Amino acid sequence: MRLEPIPSRSLVRTFGWPAGAVLATVVFASLLVLTAGASPFNVFALVAKGAAGSRFALFETLTRATPLIFTGLAVAVAFRARLWNIGAEGQLYVGAVVTVVLGTGALPLPAAILIPLVMLAVAAAGALLLLGPATLKTRFGVDEVVTTLLLNFIVILFVSMLLEGVLKDPMGLGWPQSERVVAEAQLPRLARGMRLHFGFVLALAAALATWVVMKKTAFGYEMRAVGHNAEAARFAGIPVNRVLMKTALLSGGLAALAGFSEVAGLKGNLTLDLSPGFGYSGIVVAMLAMLNPLGVVAAAIFVAGIFVGADAMSRTAAVPSYIADVLVATALLTMVTAIMLTRYRVRWR
Amino acid sequence: MEAFDILLTASFWVAAIRIASPLIFATMGELICERVGVLNLGIEGIMMAGAFAGWVTVYAGGDLWTGVFVAALAGSAFGLLHGVLTGPFGLSQHVVGIGITLLATSLTYFTYRVVLPEVSSPPKIVPFQPLEIPLLSDIPVVGPALFNQTPLTYLAFVVVGLVAWVLYRTPLGLALRAAGENPAAVEAQGIGVAAIRIGAVMAGSALMAVGGAFLTMSAFNSFFFEMVNGRGWICIALVVFGSWRPGKALLGAILFAAFDAYQVRLQQLAGGVVPYQVFLMMPYVLSILALVLVARRASYPKALMIPYQRGER
């Protein structure tokens, strides 16, 4: 079989294939639900209800979407320039560590100064972490996929070491957790009785800012050029390596802010279970959004809804909440296939 | 006992070869994939799926070898998916690979919870037992390390020989290597590149899954969440370190495993002076270092990560 580019796409094709991808994902998940011995209709209703069935559910979904927007943006930015940053998970934890180091009383400053300062430091730390693999890529030709993946494991062990050492909360009853950040470093809640916090607003602002950078600046253009065809970009006089470095700084910084927002906005302290794979889910979010920064917001809310909804569902139905992870991974594969099929026609001969 | 004496004990080398075994399977699997031009980032998830599939087969009353077979089958199913999506469909190998890892891992966890809804500690199986090879196992140090291991470890070494033989001594191997270097030339010979690549990715993924199964059926006797723990990514580094050659990759895996076994013993020796996490980081740090060391002279398969479309120049 061969793939032929389609010069002018019809509406049916543009929306038909993605709809087909959603359908395929739902059918696959339904089969799994059936094997677990439950009714798919009932389970999906429970997931929807748990994700958006009440004001509380909706706010929980947005709370869960907040770190996913940051990591989704980090991946979208990097993948756009074909910098395969799979290390958002590690960058998130580095951001969380910096938040705790600076936010637990080391700096006696008012919130209006402390929070921006911490955010800057967090973004710088995440950026530096990704600068390592990016340098290895541009200088030595080491594939960044493997190095960023391996760094995730190193960072998690490093955090574990800190939480059992210098960052350990003396009042933590022996648990590996950090002290809580001071009130001045905490992000305010957006509504009474809800967990949704100011980090969500920051995430939206970050999405908007990233969109402006990617679509309206020369740097954004260079990024896309490098991602589209690095050789051609080099011939056109674009400093490819420098663009990749700048992309790495932006991507690493964004991912680290996810850690900041989770600690300063939601958890208050750092533990080893701060992120249930937000870094990896960010890849799915970015791909579902077709690497568009504004699309990332929608995709993050969608993915968060599945996770929050599945958590709620598994409390009543006898279907493991891991169905959410399966759904999200399946959606990734079916959606990238569908997007390809909107652009190419399959010729069997 | 001093730090150096560890290297002279038989138990150290026994552990090193045991630790190397799953890495050997998975590294050979990844090597086959990359030799035909496909970077298979599904490796981590496929190992997880293999670990579970093998274990659950035995748990359900199956024979140990049936478990290995089922694991290989599960692996090749994911390989088929990977091969089709990255081959004829031309999707990004990075995205599809990560997607397969996420899918295989989540499917494994989901199935585990469906099969065992209410268990705190996962049930144990009777794993493969060491099979002593008479006479040879009496050689000091080398004997127990190489000739008193479980059958799966012996199989790992057989696989290396088999992969090397097929790649370098058979027409099939020539086609496989050419598919990763110059696919158009393969097509010109009237051999379908898509079929070659899909077949190789399926075979490679089966090996990865058997590597995972080694963990639950030979190294341990039970299935735990996150038990693959980055071994898949390390194997990708090992393939580069071994410059895409089975023999060198085997040496790399054994060297790596020896280092891993060594750090565990050093950890006991250091007795709390150095945080244990520093030792646990070593394998990952070492993998990155190995990549940096060989990167400059690495000779990647020319068509690695390049999707092949028939009739394209």
Side-chain angles (χ1 to χ4, degrees):
Chain A
M1 62 177 264
R2 278 188 311 129
L3 302 175
E4 268 178 13
I6 302 167
S8 61
R9 280 171 250 157
S10 66
L11 269 179
V12 178
R13 190 170 267 279
T14 312
F15 292 101
W17 281 114
V22 173
L23 191 71
T25 307
V26 169
V27 168
F28 181 61
S30 301
L31 290 176
L32 289 179
V33 167
L34 282 174
T35 63
S39 135
F41 190 75
N42 186 23
V43 164
F44 284 128
L46 282 171
V47 170
K49 189 161 162 262
S54 66
R55 189 163 166 264
F56 178 77
L58 209 56
F59 274 60
E60 275 300 294
T61 296
L62 296 182
T63 310
R64 184 73 74 100
T66 303
L68 291 176
I69 295 176
F70 281 117
T71 55
L73 288 173
V75 174
V77 165
F79 279 24
R80 183 56 88 193
R82 287 195 182 253
L83 177 75
W84 303 105
N85 173 19
I86 323 284
E89 188 80 2
Q91 290 137 25
L92 180 152
Y93 271 102
V94 166
V97 166
V98 173
T99 308
V100 165
V101 168
L102 296 180
T104 47
L107 303 171
L109 296 167
I113 303 173
L114 183 60
I115 289 177
L117 200 70
V118 172
M119 283 177 70
L120 266 177
V122 161
L128 277 179
L129 185 67
L130 185 54
L131 206 57
T135 312
L136 291 181
K137 174 193 172 79
T138 52
R139 285 287 167 83
F140 298 96
V142 180
D143 187 48
E144 73 278 20
V145 174
V146 187
T147 47
T148 51
L149 274 167
L150 291 169
L151 265 179
N152 287 343
F153 291 87
I154 296 175
V155 170
I156 302 272
L157 285 165
F158 180 68
V159 172
S160 156
M161 188 173 92
L162 293 178
L163 289 181
E164 289 178 15
V166 288
L167 286 187
K168 185 174 183 171
D169 181 7
M171 312 301 270
L173 301 171
W175 291 101
Q177 61 184 41
S178 78
E179 284 182 54
R180 296 186 66 79
V181 293
V182 294
E184 288 80 17
Q186 278 176 22
L187 298 172
R189 295 279 149 102
L190 290 186
R192 192 183 299 272
M194 299 289 168
R195 300 204 302 164
L196 188 66
H197 52 87
F198 192 68
F200 182 66
V201 178
L202 292 175
L204 293 183
L208 199 61
T210 310
W211 182 79
V212 170
V213 168
M214 281 172 81
K215 301 276 160 147
K216 304 283 174 196
T217 67
F219 169 55
Y221 173 77
E222 289 174 341
M223 258 167 68
R224 278 179 283 139
V226 169
H228 193 68
N229 187 338
E231 267 322 293
R234 190 169 283 126
F235 274 119
I238 293 174
V240 172
N241 282 354
R242 203 188 308 161
V243 171
L244 282 175
M245 288 301 190
K246 285 205 262 181
T247 307
L249 291 175
L250 184 59
S251 173
L254 283 166
L257 284 175
F260 160 78
S261 143
E262 282 300 277
V263 171
L266 188 63
K267 302 284 173 65
N269 67 354
L270 173 57
T271 54
L272 269 181
D273 58 1
L274 181 75
S275 161
F278 288 136
Y280 302 104
S281 306
I283 299 170
V284 182
V285 167
M287 291 314 297
L288 290 183
M290 295 168 70
L291 307 186
N292 181 315
L294 298 182
V296 161
V297 175
I301 293 173
F302 173 71
V303 168
I306 291 180
F307 278 115
V308 171
D311 276 349
M313 174 277 298
S314 70
R315 282 194 285 272
T316 43
V319 177
S321 62
Y322 287 110
I323 189 78
D325 301 78
V326 180
L327 257 170
V328 166
T330 312
L332 169 67
L333 291 173
T334 53
M335 202 52 92
V336 289
T337 309
I339 290 167
M340 185 276 293
L341 289 172
T342 60
R343 291 175 185 166
Y344 295 92
R345 185 176 285 120
V346 177
R347 285 256 182 263
W348 293 99
R349 276 275 126 208
Chain B
M1 190 166 62
E2 290 306 315
F4 181 73
D5 292 342
I6 294 172
L7 295 177
L8 302 174
T9 60
S11 71
F12 164 75
W13 287 104
V14 172
I17 297 295
R18 189 180 59 234
I19 294 169
S21 304
L23 300 178
I24 296 172
F25 279 115
T27 304
M28 288 307 132
E30 183 68 36
L31 186 140
I32 295 173
C33 295
E34 293 193 18
R35 259 343 245 291
V36 296
V38 181
L39 172 73
N40 190 344
L41 292 179
I43 183 169
E44 182 84 4
I46 292 171
M47 286 181 79
M48 185 62 91
F52 176 74
W55 172 81
V56 82
T57 304
V58 178
Y59 173 70
D63 179 37
L64 280 167
W65 286 107
T66 314
V68 174
F69 180 73
V70 171
L73 218 57
S76 59
F78 284 111
L80 177 64
L81 185 60
H82 190 293
V84 169
L85 290 182
T86 60
F89 278 30
L91 296 176
S92 152
Q93 295 181 3
H94 287 107
V95 175
V96 170
I98 295 291
I100 299 257
T101 281
L102 292 176
L103 179 66
T105 308
S106 55
L107 263 181
T108 300
Y109 289 177
F110 176 83
T111 316
Y112 177 86
R113 277 281 170 247
V114 169
V115 176
L116 301 156
E118 308 279 346
V119 288
S120 46
S121 68
K124 294 176 167 49
I125 59 165
V126 180
F128 280 107
Q129 300 300 317
L131 185 71
E132 201 172 328
I133 294 179
L135 296 178
L136 288 174
S137 60
D138 295 333
I139 307 169
V141 184
V142 182
L146 289 179
F147 303 108
N148 193 12
Q149 296 279 1
T150 64
L152 271 188
T153 296
Y154 301 135
L155 182 64
F157 283 89
V158 172
V159 162
V160 177
L162 205 64
V163 169
W165 179 73
V166 170
L167 274 181
Y168 295 106
R169 295 274 182 273
T170 65
L172 172 66
L174 186 64
L176 287 169
R177 285 183 289 135
E181 298 284 346
N182 189 350
V186 177
E187 201 76 53
Q189 294 288 312
I191 306 169
V193 172
I196 286 266
R197 285 190 169 178
I198 292 174
V201 173
M202 285 176 74
S205 302
L207 284 180
M208 295 169 190
V210 173
F214 184 93
L215 297 173
T216 48
M217 303 172 66
S218 199
F220 307 104
N221 53 7
S222 194
F223 175 84
F224 307 99
F225 282 21
E226 291 174 22
M227 80 182 303
V228 176
N229 205 10
R231 281 183 181 85
W233 313 132
I234 287 170
C235 289
I236 292 182
L238 283 172
V239 172
V240 181
F241 184 73
S243 33
W244 292 270
R245 289 172 172 276
K248 277 190 181 173
L250 169 71
L251 275 183
I254 292 175
L255 203 69
F256 180 89
F259 188 85
D260 204 16
Y262 190 65
Q263 61 90 4
V264 172
R265 282 158 178 76
L266 218 53
Q267 207 172 314
Q268 293 155 358
L269 214 61
V273 184
V274 184
Y276 68 92
Q277 290 94 344
V278 172
F279 293 100
L280 292 180
M281 272 179 215
M282 286 305 176
Y284 307 110
V285 176
L286 195 73
S287 300
I288 294 180
L289 280 180
L291 282 177
V292 176
L293 277 178
V294 300
R296 272 191 190 282
R297 55 186 175 79
S299 51
Y300 288 80
K302 297 259 172 348
L304 186 61
M305 289 189 256
I306 301 170
Y308 178 74
Q309 288 287 310
R310 199 159 61 189
E312 231 178 45
R313 288 292 141 195

